[in-house]
């Protein structure tokens, strides 16, 4: 009898996993798991196309506050935008054509790994019909295109289809000269890119996307006349890569949803770079936390959150308030103007690192909903968590690297640098969508220049150790699958750590510096695996001369802290002795 019960429960478990819906099949998250009566709920979601536009469009702002008006435009100097004071441009990067120049922003290639592990190029089928815009030489904005549809390896599509959409979105802002009314040079305000496995469903109710982008339709990743591209999950976690010509104003750091990440970077022209990003898709949990009256009474920070924002809260994954200040962000500015300097320092110490992730981490649960992704996101310096970021990390004059993870919540800043350690925070539920213990993945691909700058290293090889510490202070056993430096990039990978809120710490080191430092070639092309069909020669990383370290003493009450570095600064709350 006991064996029969065991078999029965194993069958039920298998059916549960098999029948787990994916994001395109799910009902509204509000109804997927009923909220218990009398409880309060917070939802953390990071879904494909979340916050990203699916067509190219322009909006202009006319007038001065509070009497402003938002208008739709067909060109930077056309129609209503001729009288605009500022402009927001959301452009989809089109596929490259035979007529494309190196100065154009376009998608050159999409590739999928075959059964032998070699990347093979997908076939471009077409670019969907939606609004398109010409490049503007004065504002220095590119041409705006549409989502492109490609034919690739069916193993990567959970439905066994060979159809994929590629959407790369760039948001620009343009300010107009108040005297001449001419548009200024655009600046990049956002960037994201994703590969979307789909099947195509026909129906007369489906129309081409036009005007302001749609929202809230999970079934169709995009629509065309008579067609709905139904989003599917990824099938086998085979590597895939995308190569695109991109504005060199998209620089600094990227974050991503993939694993086993690798990059190829090359400067094309004075205004464009060629970037290839490869990696395998990953499942990203969607999370929620329900708190009853007793739990709220024991957690004043959670209670303050709901008091300000209502009984059901949706939090975007990519927001620094998840890691710093949380519900006390606005309170900080009030406190700064009313408190004495000493009181304000005490306030900052208490709430600086108290974000929503920390407040709710022990209550987090995963929705029974698979959510696989292959996605990139630009990191804006304004979105970094507060702290003393070294210039080596914040430098946006070049491409510095990519941080990728499958965590439900991750700090969307690059790894912060404290006490000679690179530190990265993640959080999530202990179990995944399928009820199994969720295993975390973290990859860092960082320019060797950044690492050498941070540590004043010579050109000798760099080594690294990675540790993952749980929220209770225990060091976890992890699988460190890759720690190496090759062709100008440092690649680090940590796998199989568990949640709720582990902290990843990376220590870089090197053996004694070599006596002679090699000069670097003029070109900046670099490469990381996996193998592609195109062969490129390895190129050495640019070497920065070691800088002298200084040490200062910082005090806070009876606490004394030594800080070293090329330009050491005391941590928040400490002062120099």
């Amino acid at each position: 009898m006991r064996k029969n019960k065991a078999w029965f429960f194993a069958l039920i478990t298998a059916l549960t996993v098999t029948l787990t819906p994916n994001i395109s099949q799910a009902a509204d998250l509000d109804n997927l798991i009923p909220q218990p009566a009398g409880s309060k709920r917070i939802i953390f979601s990071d879904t494909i196309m979340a916050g990203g536009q699916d067509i190219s469009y322009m909006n202009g702002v006319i007038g001065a506050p509070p009497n402003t008006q938002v208008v739709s435009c067909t060109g930077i100097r056309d129609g209503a935008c001729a009288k605009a004071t500022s402009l927001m441009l959301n452009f989809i990067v089109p596929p490259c054509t035979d007529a494309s120049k190196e100065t154009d922003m376009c998608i050159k290639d999409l590739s999928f790994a075959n059964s032998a592990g070699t990347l093979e190029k997908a076939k471009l089928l077409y670019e969907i019909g939606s609004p398109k815009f010409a490049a503007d030489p004065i504002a220095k904005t590119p041409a705006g295109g549409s989502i492109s549809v490609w034919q690739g390896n069916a193993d990567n599509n959970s439905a066994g289809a060979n159809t994929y959409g590629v959407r790369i979105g760039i948001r620009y802002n343009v300010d107009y000269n108040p005297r001449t009314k001419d548009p200024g040079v655009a600046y990049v305000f956002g960037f994201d890119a994703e590969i979307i496995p789909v099947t195509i469903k026909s129906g007369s109710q489906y129309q081409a996307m036009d005007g302001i982008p749609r929202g809230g339709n999970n079934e169709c990743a995009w629509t065309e006349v008579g067609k709905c591209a139904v989003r599917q999950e990824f099938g086998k976690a085979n590597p895939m890569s995308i190569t695109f010509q991109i504005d060199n104003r998209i620089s600094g750091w990227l974050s991503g949803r993939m694993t086993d990440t690798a990059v190829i970077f090359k400067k094309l022209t004075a205004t464009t770079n060629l970037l290839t990003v490869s990696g395998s898709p990953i499942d990203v949990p969607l999370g929620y936390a329900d708190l009853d009256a007793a739990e709220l009474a024991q957690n004043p920070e959670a209670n303050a959150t709901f008091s300000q924002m209502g009984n059901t809260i949706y939090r975007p994954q990519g927001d620094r308030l998840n890691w710093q200040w949380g519900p006390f962000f606005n309170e900080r500015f009030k406190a700064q103007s009313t408190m004495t300097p000493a009181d304000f320092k005490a306030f900052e110490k208490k709430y600086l690192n108290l974000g929503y992730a920390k407040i709710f981490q022990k209550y987090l649960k995963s929705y029974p909903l698979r959510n696989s992704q292959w996605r990139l996101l630009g990191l804006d310096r304004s979105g970094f968590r507060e702290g003393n970021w070294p210039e080596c990390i914040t430098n946006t004059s070049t491409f510095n690297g990519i941080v990728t993870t499958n965590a439900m919540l991750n700090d969307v800043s690059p790894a912060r640098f404290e006490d000679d350690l690179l530190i990265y925070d993640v959080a999530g539920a202990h179990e995944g969508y399928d009820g199994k213990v969720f295993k975390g993945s973290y990859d860092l691909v960082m320019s060797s220049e950044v690492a050498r700058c941070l540590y004043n290293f010579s050109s000798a090889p760099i080594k690294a150790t990675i540790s993952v510490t749980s929220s209770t202070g225990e060091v976890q056993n992890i699988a460190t699958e890759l720690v190496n430096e090759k062709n100008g990039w440092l690649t680090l990978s940590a796998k199989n750590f568990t949640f709720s809120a582990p902290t990843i710490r990376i220590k870089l080191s090197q053996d004694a510096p070599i006596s002679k430092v090699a000069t670097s070639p003029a070109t900046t092309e670099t490469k990381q695996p996996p193998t592609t069909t195109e062969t490129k020669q390895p190129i050495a990383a640019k070497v920065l001369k070691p800088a002298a370290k200084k040490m200062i003493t910082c005090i806070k009450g009876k606490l004394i802290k030594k800080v070293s570095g090329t330009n050491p600064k005391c941590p928040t709350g400490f002062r120099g002795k």
Side-chain angles (χ1 to χ4, degrees), residues 539-560:
I539 293 179
K542 181 180 177 182
V543 177
L544 299 179
K545 293 183 179 180
K549 275 193 173 185
K550 302 176 184 178
M551 179 173 286
I552 61 174
T553 301
C554 305
I555 61 174
K556 180 173 68 171
K558 295 182 180 180
L559 297 177
I560 299 176

Side-chain angles (χ1 to χ4, degrees), residues 21-26 46-50 157-159 161 163-165 194-201 214 217-223 228-234 257 281-284 286 369-375:
N22 63 32
I23 191 70
S24 64
Q25 299 166 335
D46 186 18
T47 58
I48 203 162
M49 299 187 82
N157 189 312
S158 62
T163 311
Y164 300 84
E194 54 198 348
I195 301 170
I196 312 167
V198 297
T199 54
I200 304 299
K201 182 168 69 171
R214 59 167 178 81
N217 185 345
N218 282 329
E219 183 189 31
C220 301
W222 70 85
T223 59
C228 163
V230 181
R231 182 200 155 181
Q232 302 297 327
E233 300 299 334
F234 284 101
R257 295 303 203 174
I282 53 174
D283 291 340
V284 180
L286 304 179
L369 184 68
R370 190 177 174 215
N371 177 39
S372 59
Q373 295 190 24
W374 195 106
R375 186 180 179 202

Side-chain angles (χ1 to χ4, degrees), residues 456-477:
N456 304 309
F457 282 163
S458 72
S459 60
I462 297 173
K463 299 183 294 184
T465 56
I466 303 177
S467 66
V468 178
T469 307
S470 69
S471 54
T472 58
E474 299 174 352
V475 177
Q476 297 190 30
N477 292 322

